[in-house]
Amino acid sequence: WTQAISKCLPALGDGYVVGMQMGETVMSIWDLVLQRVIIPLLLGHPLDPIKRDCSKVLVQAEEFAQQDQALVVRFLWQLMINLSDPSKSNGTILEGEVLDPRVHKSESTIPRTLYYSEAMLLLMFSDYEAAAQRAIERGDYYSKSAPGIVTNMDETFHRAISLYAGARQTKKNKFKKAAIKLQKRIVRWQKAGNPNVKHFVLVLDAESAALSSKVEIAKAKYQEAIAVASKGGFLQYVGLFNERYADYLLQDPLSADEAMKRRCEAIEAYREWGAHAKVEQMMGESS
């Protein structure tokens, strides 16, 4: 929480090797899941290589009877398949070729990863009202179930931006109030020295300004957030932030050209990330 997330990757790799040499399979496989699946996903690395690693990590987890780790891999792997496979009829439903809801969900001893994956799909496929309502209903369930876990930062942000998006879409004040509360939490993390949330703070500032009709502030904050996400290589957020900015610009007919430019940049970022189902959704909306 005080260092860039990427800096933990070498230590996780060393932990896996040493742990396996010592016969400590439980934490070793967790190190492997974090190094090859969870952290790359958080960092916005291209999805295809992570999916290939999911296959390898899942084999090891099941070989050593590490069921919790195997289930986490299955949830996140199916999340990535949903984002990348345009043939799925409904990308927000977390089930498919590596996740059988009749088996794996009922077996899960780590429901927070299931919740994380389902919530992220609602956000990424722009089902903002459903994502916002879910954020209200579940509250801090995720963060309380595993305090300090690295994914808490993204999960909290996902709720915050879903709530702001839901507030813009529905005009419901309950979404705005909940978003502001989470935004303040993320700002406190930044002030305490967390270097991983700068782009989150900026885009939430933009969303807040947009709701308050502070046009120039909103535009400046969106642009700054996009620049920081791009510099950090967070492809998922370059796509999302451009998409949200385009949505905001479309409220003003005079900004239609800039909105189209931002949509195109969102599509390109999602394509580079490997989220081809998301790309197809946006292309369909533009046609």
Side-chain angles (χ1 to χ4, degrees):
W1 288 68
T2 59
Q3 298 289 325
I5 294 174
S6 58
K7 290 186 177 181
C8 72
L9 289 171
L12 289 168
D14 293 343
Y16 167 73
V17 171
V18 173
M20 293 300 287
Q21 289 173 346
M22 296 175 62
E24 174 47 75
T25 56
V26 176
M27 293 310 301
S28 295
I29 299 300
W30 276 125
D31 285 345
L32 186 65
V33 173
L34 281 161
Q35 185 202 29
R36 305 293 287 275
V37 181
I38 295 175
I39 301 299
L41 180 61
L42 295 179
L43 292 174
H45 291 183
L47 296 177
D48 284 347
I50 308 175
K51 288 189 294 180
R52 288 194 293 270
D53 279 345
C54 282
S55 176
K56 301 171 186 175
V57 174
L58 182 60
V59 168
Q60 279 208 301
E62 293 183 338
E63 178 183 350
F64 288 98
Q66 299 303 307
Q67 188 66 8
D68 286 352
Q69 296 91 317
L71 284 166
V72 167
V73 172
R74 285 186 182 275
F75 292 145
L76 296 178
W77 190 3
Q78 190 63 57
L79 159 70
M80 290 182 272
I81 290 172
N82 282 30
L83 288 166
S84 59
D85 183 3
S87 70
K88 288 186 68 65
S89 59
N90 188 344
T92 63
I93 298 177
L94 190 71
E95 62 180 57
E97 57 197 86
V98 300
L99 188 67
D100 183 344
R102 296 167 299 179
V103 178
H104 300 117
K105 290 186 183 180
S106 61
E107 289 181 352
S108 176
T109 57
I110 309 185
R112 63 177 177 269
T113 308
L114 170 62
Y115 164 78
Y116 176 93
S117 302
E118 291 177 334
M120 184 173 176
L121 287 174
L122 290 173
L123 170 62
M124 299 309 294
F125 282 108
S126 307
D127 195 346
Y128 298 133
E129 184 174 5
Q133 187 59 43
R134 186 186 180 95
I136 292 282
E137 292 171 356
R138 302 305 293 271
D140 286 334
Y141 155 74
Y142 186 89
S143 57
K144 288 180 179 178
S145 69
I149 193 170
V150 66
T151 46
N152 279 348
M153 289 178 280
D154 281 65
E155 189 276 333
T156 302
F157 169 69
H158 291 171
R159 278 188 288 145
I161 196 166
S162 295
L163 287 159
Y164 267 127
R168 186 193 301 175
Q169 187 179 69
T170 68
K171 313 303 181 187
K172 291 181 178 179
N173 192 52
K174 67 176 183 178
F175 291 159
K176 181 179 178 180
K177 287 177 63 177
I180 291 170
K181 181 179 179 180
L182 292 176
Q183 180 182 9
K184 289 178 178 179
R185 182 184 304 174
I186 296 171
V187 168
R188 288 197 299 271
W189 291 345
Q190 184 184 45
K191 289 181 177 179
N194 189 325
N196 299 294
V197 297
K198 182 178 181 180
H199 52 311
F200 297 163
V201 170
L202 288 167
V203 81
L204 293 175
D205 283 346
E207 293 282 337
S208 177
L211 274 183
S212 302
S213 300
K214 298 176 181 178
V215 177
E216 295 308 315
I217 294 176
K219 289 181 178 180
K221 292 293 185 178
Y222 274 124
Q223 291 167 19
E224 193 175 355
I226 291 164
V228 171
S230 181
K231 183 178 180 180
F234 299 101
L235 291 171
Q236 76 277 45
Y237 294 130
V238 176
L240 179 62
F241 296 175
N242 271 295
E243 184 181 10
R244 293 297 302 150
Y245 188 20
D247 180 79
Y248 174 63
L249 291 169
L250 283 172
Q251 297 179 18
D252 177 7
L254 297 177
S255 299
D257 288 345
E258 179 66 14
M260 182 57 64
K261 174 187 173 184
R262 292 295 176 176
R263 281 187 65 83
C264 289
E265 290 182 6
I267 288 169
E268 184 56 36
Y270 285 135
R271 181 178 288 116
E272 186 178 354
W273 187 34
H276 303 296
K278 177 62 181 180
V279 169
E280 186 161 297
Q281 180 196 50
M282 292 192 69
M283 295 290 285
E285 292 169 351
S286 300
S287 61

